[in-house]
Amino acid sequence: MRWSQAFIPTLRDDPTDAEAASHKLLVRAGFIRQLMAGVYTLLPLAYRSRRKIQQVIEEEIDAIGGQEFLFPSLHPAEIWRKTGRLDVMGDEMFRLVDRKAGEVVLGMTHEEIFTTIATEITSYKQLPQLWYQIHTKFRDEPRPKSGLLRVREFTMKDSYSFDLDQEGLDRAFDAHYAAYTRIFARLGLDAIPVEASSGAMGGSGSVEFMVRAEAGEDLVAHCPNCDYAANVEKAVSEVPPITDEAGPAAPEKFATPGVRTIEDLVEFPGGAAASRQIKTLVYMLDGEPALVLLRGDHPLQEQKLQDRTGALDFRPAHPDEIAELLGADAGSLGAVGVTGVRILADESLRGRTNMTTGANENDFHLRGVSIDRDITVDEWFDIREVQAGEPCVDCGEPIEIFRAIECGHIFKLGVKYSEPLGAMVLDEHGKTRPIYMGSYGIGLERNLAAVVETHFDEKGIAWPVTVAPYEAVVTVLRLDEETLETAEEMYGQLRDAGIDVLIDDRNERPGVKFNDAELVGIPYRMTIGPRGLAEDIVEINERATGVTDRVAVGEAVAHLVARIEAERR
RNA sequence: CGGGACGUAGCGCAGCUUGGUAGCGCGCAUCGUUCGGGACGAUGAGGUCGCCGGUUCAAAUCCGGCCGUCCCGACCA
């Protein structure tokens, strides 16, 4: 490709509305343009990179036995109704009505649709099967952001495994785990597998592949010592035991004027340390109020609460709902003596005595509260969010918490979809059994953005060869006859050698060409100018390191081809 | 959904307080001089000032409504 003819609209300024590095750079370097909130056009450079990611994924999924399909994006709402997910997905699902008033949805994932085809599997002899596609997903995200990191229309590789039993599913899951590890490595991503919440997908277990990045929207708890890693939505840590005094025979009410927060009560004379307080939160779970109890210094992890309770509709209660329920405002709430309301408590409160909590009367608290004696806890859960520095459950070392991008997610689904949709087989004893399923997803554009998030500097993007839109650019410094002729010769030879190469034949000054090549992030630049040619040399510059080698004209192509091929993987 | 901000040329912005000819930088076009790290000069093209309505002799500017976009919190590849 000739740069003079290529549509590579680079910009001098960062777009104002971009925050994330990948967002700024992909716009500025001419890879993407926004069409509307969370919807982007991939310009030729981005499309080339995405195709390379796609190629890597196809190779690795094919290598574990994947068969590639292409499923529709338009789905009848009815299929989603059968598994109950028409409601679960809520407003995140794009819905439309066709001319015959039929309810139609746009696919946001494809468990139901793949399973519909899988009903044609009738015998255990046909198992296992591993099916996948690389296609568009639509999700009406409440808040698209950060360029390609979180969008409403995107490309996903989604695969689905079909096995006779749990052991088969485990094997398919492990095969994907290994394939994903290879995929991310080839893309130049340092992806950490972490335990994750399964959310709306359901099933028995899931692993997310997380890439550490400032622009990431997930928090990962990680132990640097033993490599324990989990999404904070799932992560656990040790809670050092606390020895309480027995306390009084019954709770004692005391006045706490103006005390509204845990911190206020810590400071208040006659108050209590945060670890000796009971925090009382009110949540509406599917329309029903529930008290949620935690230690004063422990934050609630809402995803855990949602996972444990299975609530679909889920929100903190409004102030008026709280007042009506408990007769006091947030800041003076407690669970002592409360009946007729579901009370959920975090495990760390078990057996605690002599605690302090709100009295359900504004400006009053109770001290000397013993959980078992004074509060009717209906359900005990692990619902607290782990904090950096807490001891690792496996080795006791302090855990760290960092931001990360979820680049892939693999799920053990079990029979959640096969049973309601009737994907059954006869086993070797002639018995009807539901197929065990897994599902496995990688968002292509998000991975593209994740590569940028981890491969850039002040000059622009620095693509790994495996994802770069072009592997090399031949930069022609002067368009005089001799220089141009040599450059064309090199360009032709590189193309013949199978290199994805651009020739920058624009009538621009060298600085413009250097800056554009560095902004776009092409891994190797062959610089050809009259000065070098006078000495029979060209320069080969590596974008990532900035290192420039002077190479004899006659050896330059072979030199560059060898380096690029070594990095293709 | 709750909170905050913004919408003026392809991109980045000023003008709005105090109503009266729509401006700057970059980019773009033509010509000339330049040419190993975003050149210089000359000439020029390009804007329904987000949309609808109101006030006014007159609205980018004042008022009302709507739409769009971004950012911060609750959701996911």
Side-chain angles (χ1 to χ4, degrees), chain A residues 18-26 143-150 210-219 402-407 446 448-456:
Chain A
E19 293 285 321
S22 62
H23 186 191
K24 289 180 185 169
L25 288 168
L26 287 169
R143 187 149 114 72
K145 60 177 292 201
S146 305
L148 294 184
L149 282 175
R150 180 179 208 73
M210 293 294 204
V211 171
R212 194 166 181 155
E214 266 315 298
E217 300 182 86
D218 282 81
L219 293 175
F402 55 79
R403 304 185 71 86
I405 299 166
E406 180 190 353
C407 284
R446 179 179 282 184
L448 184 77
V451 173
V452 177
E453 289 290 340
T454 51
H455 296 78
F456 74 94

Side-chain angles (χ1 to χ4, degrees), chain A residues 480-531:
Chain A
D480 62 77
E481 205 171 304
E482 191 201 341
T483 310
L484 198 52
E485 195 179 308
T486 308
E488 293 281 1
E489 175 73 26
M490 304 296 229
Y491 169 63
Q493 287 180 21
L494 287 165
R495 284 215 312 184
D496 291 346
I499 302 296
D500 275 335
V501 60
L502 259 177
I503 180 167
D504 193 347
D505 58 341
R506 293 176 297 170
N507 185 17
E508 292 287 352
R509 297 168 66 87
V512 172
K513 298 186 182 189
F514 292 152
N515 284 325
D516 272 346
E518 283 157 354
L519 175 61
V520 167
I522 299 167
Y524 287 100
R525 185 182 77 214
M526 181 183 281
T527 311
I528 301 179
R531 246 188 240 174

